[in-house]
Amino acid sequence: MTGQPMVKAEGVHKRFGRQEVLKGISLEVRSGEVMCLLGPSGSGKSTFLRCINHLEKINAGLLSVDGELVGYRPEGGKLHEMRESEVARRRAKIGMVFQHFNLFPHMTALENVTCAPIYVKGTAREQARARAVELLDRVGLADKLDAYPAQLSGGQQQRVAIARAQAMEPRLMLFDEPTSALDPELVDDVLQVMKQLAAEGMTMIVVTHEMGFAREVADEVVFMDGGVVVEAGPPRELLDSPRQERTRAFLSRVL
Amino acid sequence: MLVLAAAVIRSVVTNGRFEWSVVGDYLFDSRILHGAVVTIELTVIAMAIGIALGVLLAVMRLSPNPLVSGASWFYIWFFRGTPLLVQLLFWYNIAALYPTIALGVPFGPSFIHANANTLITPFTAAILGLGLNEGAYMAEIVRAGIISVDEGQADAAQSLGMTRLQTMRRIVLPQAMRVIIPPTGNETISMLKSSSLVSVIVVTELLYAGQLIYSVNFKTIQLLIVVSFWYIVFTSVLYVGQYYLERYYGRGARGQPLTPLERLRIGLMAVRRGQS
């Protein structure tokens, strides 16, 4: 299933003011692969995820998605910052799921899923609706089409958010701690949907603390700490016999 | 408290000097009604300009481009920094500064010429003064609304491929409305009444229409009561409008109360069921 590199990072640096959050991240995610990012809070996992779809600008290094640089256009041997509309067009091909769902509260579940295809892609309303019904059905919410986010549980909201991201037919999905804000009994429904996506061959980068999910679904697990990649490898290797002391210390605390 | 209120009402009703019959005579006087229409026109047009300008200025103010946000800052600073009355007089006398007004390419050819004295009638001067001033205040109200929306909303919209303007229009502003509407209702009521300021530039709105009548018949108090009556009627209508507007933009929020009409209907149905 794996093929061309979908995401490629080389020495990515990110600073917020004086604080350096990413200190040279290099990694590669191949098409069809699932990568799980682990690490203590403040290790830069979420920031790195946000850099991939240019919600944050990187300060140094190279970052490309599907063979194209993120946010910059090479021209005449120099890098030029992309125009906003161009950045938006690239982002449309990358789905993102947030820790706090970030559903649009003034829209129903159905409208949340149809809005981006209609406004961004110019899809006809009827067509967008039909597709949204199908996507919501697949995440088990066919009976909640007209519910507003406030009327849904956290797990249901997160599944709507996944359907909303899928509606744009992304080539890559980013998950930023998708189950961290959920009550324990709601976590499984969301993980189930994510497993299904992975099985369908979606390329995914998942920041998570769900070790079971990482072990079962991930092709590669990356452990980050203090803005650097400490260790990376297949889940069994990294989770069962970590080579680095920092990884071992972290795992012993979460497992 | 009740005794005091009763005493006041009794005195108002029995004091013959109020001449309530005169109030009744002028309540629907055609000059008063015409003035009332002008007041409504002024309020509606000036508020429309103010809101449109306010949204534009607020979005500009939050732009990452310092030139754009700076221009907006300057506008707000200037129009909030000078009295409305002065601005009205300024627009009224603009012809002294620019006798002809032309529309065209800056420093280039112009297409339309107009005499400022004919173009800027007292009514247009009033609209300009009230509308441009209101824009500065509305800008801050809209900005407060935009800031109140969770940043995650913009993140989500942008991650779906929406541009900054699409995000603003489709996601942020509709949610900001919940915060924007109450102070905007305030502004509209305030505009309704501050539109009476334009009586100084001879626009025959409600107050000036009343003044013109009492300057002839000296029934000052009675006409001021007539004028106040209409202001209160219009303000009350605005209350109802605001209530329904707030409900519309509150959709999706938990615990929306029923409207009085809905409550009435449910009450009537319960009574009918009790009878049968």
Side-chain angles (χ1 to χ4, degrees):
Chain A
M1 275 302 288
T2 57
Q4 294 298 308
M6 178 61 82
V7 178
K8 196 170 177 185
E10 288 172 70
V12 169
H13 285 256
K14 172 69 192 173
R15 278 190 306 273
F16 290 115
R18 278 201 197 153
Q19 198 196 352
E20 195 163 34
V21 183
L22 299 178
K23 301 171 183 163
I25 301 286
S26 300
L27 52 79
E28 208 173 288
V29 185
R30 292 182 173 283
S31 186
E33 224 176 37
V34 176
M35 174 183 278
C36 282
L37 290 180
L38 310 180
S41 64
S43 59
K45 309 170 304 247
S46 295
T47 305
F48 178 64
L49 215 57
R50 291 169 64 84
C51 288
I52 294 175
N53 68 356
H54 208 50
L55 283 177
E56 305 290 352
K57 284 181 194 170
I58 64 175
N59 298 111
L62 287 177
L63 185 56
S64 63
V65 174
D66 211 4
E68 295 175 314
L69 285 180
V70 174
Y72 297 89
R73 183 162 35 84
E75 201 177 276
K78 272 186 176 175
L79 289 183
H80 297 265
E81 209 165 320
M82 268 188 206
R83 261 181 292 123
E84 200 218 333
S85 56
E86 223 170 321
V87 171
R89 216 172 314 133
R90 298 281 185 86
R91 275 195 195 120
K93 299 174 190 164
I94 304 172
M96 188 155 187
V97 174
F98 301 86
Q99 181 177 3
H100 296 289
F101 332 130
N102 299 3
L103 287 185
F104 306 133
H106 58 304
M107 298 181 182
T108 62
L110 188 71
E111 287 167 343
N112 264 281
V113 181
T114 56
C115 75
I118 291 171
Y119 300 144
V120 177
K121 274 190 181 171
T123 309
R125 239 157 236 282
E126 279 314 302
Q127 205 185 329
R129 198 195 131 88
R131 174 83 178 126
V133 170
E134 189 187 314
L135 286 169
L136 284 168
D137 185 33
R138 279 198 1 200
V139 297
L141 294 171
D143 56 336
K144 298 285 183 193
L145 300 183
D146 297 320
Y148 283 99
Q151 298 159 336
L152 298 173
S153 75
Q156 290 170 332
Q157 288 191 53
Q158 194 61 299
R159 284 182 281 153
V160 174
I162 293 174
R164 175 176 72 176
Q166 279 182 273
M168 291 299 283
E169 272 146 20
R171 288 180 288 178
L172 165 69
M173 294 265 291
L174 309 173
F175 293 85
D176 189 3
E177 304 204 24
T179 57
S180 303
L182 297 177
D183 291 339
E185 78 270 20
L186 302 176
V187 169
D188 270 345
D189 289 339
V190 172
L191 291 182
Q192 212 52 52
V193 170
M194 290 168 63
K195 282 177 197 167
Q196 187 189 328
L197 263 178
E200 287 164 12
M202 176 63 76
T203 314
M204 294 162 56
I205 303 181
V206 185
V207 171
T208 187
H209 296 295
E210 294 291 331
M211 296 303 155
F213 177 82
R215 191 183 293 272
E216 192 181 333
V217 181
D219 296 293
E220 189 173 27
V221 176
V222 172
F223 175 69
M224 281 176 68
D225 193 11
V228 295
V229 171
V230 176
E231 191 170 352
R236 284 190 199 295
E237 246 171 61
L238 190 128
L239 296 177
D240 295 336
S241 48
R243 279 161 300 180
Q244 301 291 328
E245 184 50 42
R246 270 197 283 178
T247 319
R248 229 169 290 152
F250 173 75
L251 289 175
S252 70
R253 260 178 289 131
V254 282
L255 282 177
Chain B
M1 264 321 260
L2 281 173
V3 174
L4 200 68
V8 170
I9 290 171
R10 181 175 172 277
S11 125
V12 168
V13 172
T14 55
N15 184 341
R17 288 193 214 163
F18 269 99
E19 295 184 66
W20 286 102
S21 66
V22 176
V23 172
D25 287 345
Y26 283 102
L27 204 52
F28 296 101
D29 185 284
S30 67
R31 286 164 293 178
I32 291 289
L33 291 184
H34 180 260
V37 170
V38 173
T39 288
I40 292 174
E41 279 173 359
L42 281 172
T43 306
V44 170
I45 301 175
M47 272 318 284
I49 294 174
I51 290 171
L53 207 57
V55 171
L56 182 73
L57 286 165
V59 173
M60 282 172 69
R61 185 81 201 276
L62 295 166
S63 161
N65 183 331
L67 212 66
V68 174
S69 68
S72 167
W73 181 89
F74 180 82
Y75 183 98
I76 296 168
W77 170 76
F78 185 80
F79 279 90
R80 286 203 307 183
T82 50
L84 176 56
L85 192 54
V86 174
Q87 289 174 30
L88 284 168
L89 289 168
F90 177 83
W91 289 112
Y92 183 57
N93 292 302
I94 189 92
L97 220 53
Y98 293 100
T100 61
I101 291 171
L103 213 65
V105 184
F107 306 111
S110 56
F111 314 119
I112 304 166
H113 290 269
N115 186 319
N117 267 322
T118 52
L119 191 70
I120 309 283
T121 62
F123 188 77
T124 38
I127 290 290
L128 278 173
L130 293 172
L132 297 185
N133 182 264
E134 187 55 35
Y137 286 91
M138 280 306 301
E140 288 295 277
I141 291 173
V142 174
R143 190 167 70 94
I146 292 174
I147 294 173
S148 77
V149 177
D150 178 38
E151 282 178 27
Q153 292 291 312
D155 281 349
Q158 292 187 330
S159 79
L160 289 166
M162 292 192 201
T163 59
R164 224 177 70 85
L165 280 179
Q166 278 175 325
T167 302
M168 203 48 106
R169 168 152 175 242
R170 304 289 185 182
I171 306 301
V172 177
L173 279 177
Q175 293 181 58
M177 289 307 268
R178 290 189 70 189
V179 174
I180 292 173
I181 287 172
T184 303
N186 223 0
E187 286 294 306
T188 312
I189 287 167
S190 157
M191 170 68 80
L192 187 73
K193 292 177 295 177
S194 50
S195 70
S196 62
L197 276 179
V198 306
S199 56
V200 299
I201 56 172
V202 294
V203 176
T204 328
E205 44 66 66
L206 189 49
L207 174 63
Y208 195 49
Q211 284 176 328
L212 284 177
I213 298 173
Y214 73 63
S215 65
V216 177
N217 68 6
F218 302 110
K219 303 284 186 197
T220 311
I221 296 292
Q222 288 71 27
L223 278 149
L224 288 180
I225 292 173
V226 167
V227 166
S228 305
F229 169 81
W230 283 113
Y231 278 120
I232 283 189
V233 167
F234 296 150
T235 311
S236 311
V237 171
L238 287 175
Y239 269 78
V240 178
Q242 183 180 343
Y243 176 79
Y244 283 96
L245 217 58
E246 274 180 32
R247 275 186 64 85
Y248 175 75
Y249 282 105
R251 69 190 186 284
R254 270 174 220 266
Q256 280 266 29
L258 297 171
T259 66
L261 266 178
E262 282 169 343
R263 252 178 279 158
L264 191 70
R265 203 176 307 139
I266 291 170
L268 283 175
M269 267 174 6
V271 169
R272 215 174 296 156
R273 222 173 296 131
Q275 283 169 342
S276 61

mmCIF file of all heavy atoms in Angstrom, chain B residues 189-219:
data_model
loop_
_atom_site.group_PDB
_atom_site.id
_atom_site.type_symbol
_atom_site.label_atom_id
_atom_site.label_comp_id
_atom_site.label_asym_id
_atom_site.label_seq_id
_atom_site.Cartn_x
_atom_site.Cartn_y
_atom_site.Cartn_z
ATOM 1 N N ILE B 189 -31.321 52.641 18.617
ATOM 2 C CA ILE B 189 -32.182 53.482 19.451
ATOM 3 C C ILE B 189 -31.531 54.841 19.659
ATOM 4 O O ILE B 189 -32.168 55.893 19.550
ATOM 5 C CB ILE B 189 -32.438 52.784 20.808
ATOM 6 C CG1 ILE B 189 -33.391 51.605 20.585
ATOM 7 C CG2 ILE B 189 -33.007 53.756 21.824
ATOM 8 C CD1 ILE B 189 -33.482 50.657 21.753
ATOM 9 N N SER B 190 -30.232 54.790 19.898
ATOM 10 C CA SER B 190 -29.498 56.036 20.090
ATOM 11 C C SER B 190 -29.514 56.880 18.808
ATOM 12 O O SER B 190 -29.665 58.100 18.853
ATOM 13 C CB SER B 190 -28.078 55.694 20.521
ATOM 14 O OG SER B 190 -27.204 56.729 20.239
ATOM 15 N N MET B 191 -29.404 56.206 17.650
ATOM 16 C CA MET B 191 -29.434 56.899 16.364
ATOM 17 C C MET B 191 -30.798 57.542 16.132
ATOM 18 O O MET B 191 -30.895 58.682 15.671
ATOM 19 C CB MET B 191 -29.123 55.903 15.244
ATOM 20 C CG MET B 191 -29.345 56.423 13.836
ATOM 21 S SD MET B 191 -28.180 57.711 13.395
ATOM 22 C CE MET B 191 -26.765 56.707 12.987
ATOM 23 N N LEU B 192 -31.860 56.809 16.480
ATOM 24 C CA LEU B 192 -33.215 57.317 16.314
ATOM 25 C C LEU B 192 -33.337 58.676 16.990
ATOM 26 O O LEU B 192 -33.909 59.621 16.445
ATOM 27 C CB LEU B 192 -34.192 56.318 16.940
ATOM 28 C CG LEU B 192 -35.670 56.570 16.724
ATOM 29 C CD1 LEU B 192 -36.040 56.253 15.296
ATOM 30 C CD2 LEU B 192 -36.494 55.721 17.680
ATOM 31 N N LYS B 193 -32.738 58.757 18.171
ATOM 32 C CA LYS B 193 -32.873 59.995 18.931
ATOM 33 C C LYS B 193 -31.835 61.032 18.539
ATOM 34 O O LYS B 193 -32.146 62.218 18.474
ATOM 35 C CB LYS B 193 -32.815 59.676 20.422
ATOM 36 C CG LYS B 193 -34.050 58.890 20.833
ATOM 37 C CD LYS B 193 -34.026 58.467 22.274
ATOM 38 C CE LYS B 193 -32.904 57.483 22.509
ATOM 39 N NZ LYS B 193 -32.822 57.126 23.932
ATOM 40 N N SER B 194 -30.586 60.584 18.248
ATOM 41 C CA SER B 194 -29.590 61.598 17.878
ATOM 42 C C SER B 194 -29.849 62.139 16.481
ATOM 43 O O SER B 194 -29.281 63.152 16.102
ATOM 44 C CB SER B 194 -28.164 61.065 18.020
ATOM 45 O OG SER B 194 -28.008 59.834 17.389
ATOM 46 N N SER B 195 -30.741 61.473 15.728
ATOM 47 C CA SER B 195 -31.098 62.046 14.426
ATOM 48 C C SER B 195 -31.799 63.383 14.625
ATOM 49 O O SER B 195 -31.873 64.190 13.709
ATOM 50 C CB SER B 195 -31.984 61.081 13.631
ATOM 51 O OG SER B 195 -33.252 60.998 14.225
ATOM 52 N N SER B 196 -32.300 63.648 15.850
ATOM 53 C CA SER B 196 -32.937 64.943 16.103
ATOM 54 C C SER B 196 -31.914 66.075 16.057
ATOM 55 O O SER B 196 -32.264 67.235 15.877
ATOM 56 C CB SER B 196 -33.642 64.929 17.457
ATOM 57 O OG SER B 196 -32.714 64.722 18.481
ATOM 58 N N LEU B 197 -30.623 65.735 16.182
ATOM 59 C CA LEU B 197 -29.571 66.752 16.091
ATOM 60 C C LEU B 197 -29.587 67.459 14.743
ATOM 61 O O LEU B 197 -29.183 68.612 14.631
ATOM 62 C CB LEU B 197 -28.197 66.097 16.274
ATOM 63 C CG LEU B 197 -27.678 65.850 17.684
ATOM 64 C CD1 LEU B 197 -26.319 65.187 17.604
ATOM 65 C CD2 LEU B 197 -27.577 67.161 18.444
ATOM 66 N N VAL B 198 -30.036 66.740 13.706
ATOM 67 C CA VAL B 198 -29.964 67.335 12.367
ATOM 68 C C VAL B 198 -30.965 68.469 12.192
ATOM 69 O O VAL B 198 -30.982 69.120 11.160
ATOM 70 C CB VAL B 198 -30.139 66.290 11.229
ATOM 71 C CG1 VAL B 198 -29.161 65.155 11.391
ATOM 72 C CG2 VAL B 198 -31.556 65.784 11.164
ATOM 73 N N SER B 199 -31.795 68.740 13.226
ATOM 74 C CA SER B 199 -32.659 69.919 13.146
ATOM 75 C C SER B 199 -31.810 71.186 12.990
ATOM 76 O O SER B 199 -32.270 72.168 12.437
ATOM 77 C CB SER B 199 -33.545 70.007 14.388
ATOM 78 O OG SER B 199 -32.753 70.012 15.545
ATOM 79 N N VAL B 200 -30.524 71.127 13.440
ATOM 80 C CA VAL B 200 -29.661 72.317 13.313
ATOM 81 C C VAL B 200 -29.273 72.585 11.864
ATOM 82 O O VAL B 200 -28.857 73.687 11.532
ATOM 83 C CB VAL B 200 -28.372 72.218 14.161
ATOM 84 C CG1 VAL B 200 -28.713 72.097 15.626
ATOM 85 C CG2 VAL B 200 -27.493 71.086 13.686
ATOM 86 N N ILE B 201 -29.365 71.572 11.006
ATOM 87 C CA ILE B 201 -29.059 71.857 9.596
ATOM 88 C C ILE B 201 -30.333 71.786 8.756
ATOM 89 O O ILE B 201 -30.330 71.318 7.627
ATOM 90 C CB ILE B 201 -27.939 70.936 9.041
ATOM 91 C CG1 ILE B 201 -28.295 69.459 9.208
ATOM 92 C CG2 ILE B 201 -26.615 71.232 9.699
ATOM 93 C CD1 ILE B 201 -27.311 68.539 8.498
ATOM 94 N N VAL B 202 -31.398 72.302 9.357
ATOM 95 C CA VAL B 202 -32.717 72.468 8.741
ATOM 96 C C VAL B 202 -33.223 71.251 7.964
ATOM 97 O O VAL B 202 -33.702 71.372 6.845
ATOM 98 C CB VAL B 202 -32.822 73.742 7.848
ATOM 99 C CG1 VAL B 202 -32.696 74.980 8.699
ATOM 100 C CG2 VAL B 202 -31.806 73.740 6.705
ATOM 101 N N VAL B 203 -33.105 70.070 8.561
ATOM 102 C CA VAL B 203 -33.791 68.906 8.013
ATOM 103 C C VAL B 203 -35.059 68.746 8.848
ATOM 104 O O VAL B 203 -34.986 68.685 10.074
ATOM 105 C CB VAL B 203 -32.933 67.628 8.117
ATOM 106 C CG1 VAL B 203 -33.734 66.414 7.626
ATOM 107 C CG2 VAL B 203 -31.663 67.769 7.306
ATOM 108 N N THR B 204 -36.213 68.714 8.189
ATOM 109 C CA THR B 204 -37.475 68.696 8.924
ATOM 110 C C THR B 204 -37.799 67.298 9.405
ATOM 111 O O THR B 204 -38.703 66.645 8.900
ATOM 112 C CB THR B 204 -38.632 69.210 8.050
ATOM 113 O OG1 THR B 204 -38.099 70.175 7.163
ATOM 114 C CG2 THR B 204 -39.717 69.824 8.908
ATOM 115 N N GLU B 205 -37.047 66.821 10.403
ATOM 116 C CA GLU B 205 -37.372 65.545 10.997
ATOM 117 C C GLU B 205 -38.352 65.771 12.138
ATOM 118 O O GLU B 205 -38.830 66.892 12.338
ATOM 119 C CB GLU B 205 -36.111 64.777 11.398
ATOM 120 C CG GLU B 205 -35.029 65.532 12.088
ATOM 121 C CD GLU B 205 -35.463 66.014 13.444
ATOM 122 O OE1 GLU B 205 -35.707 65.175 14.336
ATOM 123 O OE2 GLU B 205 -35.571 67.248 13.605
ATOM 124 N N LEU B 206 -38.617 64.720 12.887
ATOM 125 C CA LEU B 206 -39.671 64.755 13.900
ATOM 126 C C LEU B 206 -39.572 65.950 14.856
ATOM 127 O O LEU B 206 -40.535 66.710 15.011
ATOM 128 C CB LEU B 206 -39.660 63.430 14.674
ATOM 129 C CG LEU B 206 -40.797 63.163 15.633
ATOM 130 C CD1 LEU B 206 -42.138 63.410 14.992
ATOM 131 C CD2 LEU B 206 -40.711 61.720 16.138
ATOM 132 N N LEU B 207 -38.417 66.135 15.480
ATOM 133 C CA LEU B 207 -38.285 67.213 16.465
ATOM 134 C C LEU B 207 -38.461 68.580 15.804
ATOM 135 O O LEU B 207 -39.190 69.438 16.298
ATOM 136 C CB LEU B 207 -36.921 67.138 17.158
ATOM 137 C CG LEU B 207 -36.609 68.303 18.115
ATOM 138 C CD1 LEU B 207 -37.605 68.324 19.267
ATOM 139 C CD2 LEU B 207 -35.194 68.217 18.658
ATOM 140 N N TYR B 208 -37.797 68.773 14.650
ATOM 141 C CA TYR B 208 -37.852 70.081 13.986
ATOM 142 C C TYR B 208 -39.270 70.381 13.521
ATOM 143 O O TYR B 208 -39.722 71.526 13.592
ATOM 144 C CB TYR B 208 -36.868 70.097 12.815
ATOM 145 C CG TYR B 208 -36.574 71.483 12.283
ATOM 146 C CD1 TYR B 208 -36.232 72.517 13.138
ATOM 147 C CD2 TYR B 208 -36.642 71.752 10.913
ATOM 148 C CE1 TYR B 208 -35.945 73.789 12.659
ATOM 149 C CE2 TYR B 208 -36.361 73.013 10.416
ATOM 150 C CZ TYR B 208 -36.008 74.027 11.303
ATOM 151 O OH TYR B 208 -35.745 75.278 10.815
ATOM 152 N N ALA B 209 -39.979 69.334 13.071
ATOM 153 C CA ALA B 209 -41.378 69.525 12.663
ATOM 154 C C ALA B 209 -42.188 70.036 13.841
ATOM 155 O O ALA B 209 -43.008 70.961 13.704
ATOM 156 C CB ALA B 209 -41.958 68.207 12.151
ATOM 157 N N GLY B 210 -41.956 69.473 15.032
ATOM 158 C CA GLY B 210 -42.631 69.921 16.240
ATOM 159 C C GLY B 210 -42.245 71.350 16.594
ATOM 160 O O GLY B 210 -43.100 72.184 16.911
ATOM 161 N N GLN B 211 -40.964 71.646 16.475
ATOM 162 C CA GLN B 211 -40.470 72.991 16.810
ATOM 163 C C GLN B 211 -41.105 74.040 15.902
ATOM 164 O O GLN B 211 -41.470 75.121 16.348
ATOM 165 C CB GLN B 211 -38.946 73.033 16.668
ATOM 166 C CG GLN B 211 -38.215 72.348 17.822
ATOM 167 C CD GLN B 211 -36.707 72.317 17.603
ATOM 168 O OE1 GLN B 211 -36.240 72.229 16.471
ATOM 169 N NE2 GLN B 211 -35.967 72.369 18.689
ATOM 170 N N LEU B 212 -41.228 73.668 14.608
ATOM 171 C CA LEU B 212 -41.813 74.618 13.656
ATOM 172 C C LEU B 212 -43.249 74.962 14.054
ATOM 173 O O LEU B 212 -43.680 76.111 13.915
ATOM 174 C CB LEU B 212 -41.799 74.031 12.236
ATOM 175 C CG LEU B 212 -40.442 74.038 11.533
ATOM 176 C CD1 LEU B 212 -40.542 73.363 10.171
ATOM 177 C CD2 LEU B 212 -39.907 75.462 11.384
ATOM 178 N N ILE B 213 -43.962 73.945 14.559
ATOM 179 C CA ILE B 213 -45.352 74.200 14.948
ATOM 180 C C ILE B 213 -45.417 75.026 16.225
ATOM 181 O O ILE B 213 -46.123 76.023 16.289
ATOM 182 C CB ILE B 213 -46.120 72.863 15.120
ATOM 183 C CG1 ILE B 213 -46.148 72.102 13.789
ATOM 184 C CG2 ILE B 213 -47.539 73.127 15.609
ATOM 185 C CD1 ILE B 213 -46.719 70.708 13.882
ATOM 186 N N TYR B 214 -44.631 74.655 17.236
ATOM 187 C CA TYR B 214 -44.767 75.413 18.496
ATOM 188 C C TYR B 214 -44.150 76.805 18.419
ATOM 189 O O TYR B 214 -44.436 77.648 19.233
ATOM 190 C CB TYR B 214 -44.326 74.618 19.730
ATOM 191 C CG TYR B 214 -42.857 74.359 19.971
ATOM 192 C CD1 TYR B 214 -41.952 75.407 20.188
ATOM 193 C CD2 TYR B 214 -42.382 73.058 20.082
ATOM 194 C CE1 TYR B 214 -40.622 75.152 20.457
ATOM 195 C CE2 TYR B 214 -41.052 72.792 20.353
ATOM 196 C CZ TYR B 214 -40.170 73.851 20.533
ATOM 197 O OH TYR B 214 -38.852 73.589 20.810
ATOM 198 N N SER B 215 -43.286 77.054 17.438
ATOM 199 C CA SER B 215 -42.765 78.404 17.288
ATOM 200 C C SER B 215 -43.859 79.347 16.795
ATOM 201 O O SER B 215 -43.758 80.555 16.903
ATOM 202 C CB SER B 215 -41.584 78.431 16.310
ATOM 203 O OG SER B 215 -42.034 78.082 15.017
ATOM 204 N N VAL B 216 -44.949 78.770 16.271
ATOM 205 C CA VAL B 216 -46.074 79.586 15.809
ATOM 206 C C VAL B 216 -47.178 79.643 16.866
ATOM 207 O O VAL B 216 -47.677 80.715 17.190
ATOM 208 C CB VAL B 216 -46.646 79.020 14.478
ATOM 209 C CG1 VAL B 216 -47.871 79.838 14.042
ATOM 210 C CG2 VAL B 216 -45.576 79.039 13.409
ATOM 211 N N ASN B 217 -47.539 78.475 17.460
ATOM 212 C CA ASN B 217 -48.677 78.481 18.384
ATOM 213 C C ASN B 217 -48.281 78.435 19.867
ATOM 214 O O ASN B 217 -49.141 78.451 20.728
ATOM 215 C CB ASN B 217 -49.650 77.336 18.046
ATOM 216 C CG ASN B 217 -49.031 75.975 18.341
ATOM 217 O OD1 ASN B 217 -47.932 75.876 18.886
ATOM 218 N ND2 ASN B 217 -49.742 74.912 17.977
ATOM 219 N N PHE B 218 -47.002 78.365 20.150
ATOM 220 C CA PHE B 218 -46.468 78.405 21.522
ATOM 221 C C PHE B 218 -46.954 77.269 22.413
ATOM 222 O O PHE B 218 -46.874 77.351 23.626
ATOM 223 C CB PHE B 218 -46.760 79.763 22.184
ATOM 224 C CG PHE B 218 -46.178 80.900 21.398
ATOM 225 C CD1 PHE B 218 -47.000 81.776 20.716
ATOM 226 C CD2 PHE B 218 -44.799 81.070 21.312
ATOM 227 C CE1 PHE B 218 -46.473 82.811 19.968
ATOM 228 C CE2 PHE B 218 -44.276 82.113 20.570
ATOM 229 C CZ PHE B 218 -45.108 82.985 19.890
ATOM 230 N N LYS B 219 -47.473 76.185 21.844
ATOM 231 C CA LYS B 219 -47.858 75.018 22.653
ATOM 232 C C LYS B 219 -46.638 74.099 22.797
ATOM 233 O O LYS B 219 -46.646 72.934 22.377
ATOM 234 C CB LYS B 219 -49.012 74.247 21.979
ATOM 235 C CG LYS B 219 -50.239 75.084 21.719
ATOM 236 C CD LYS B 219 -51.015 75.305 22.994
ATOM 237 C CE LYS B 219 -52.323 76.033 22.700
ATOM 238 N NZ LYS B 219 -52.905 76.607 23.953
#
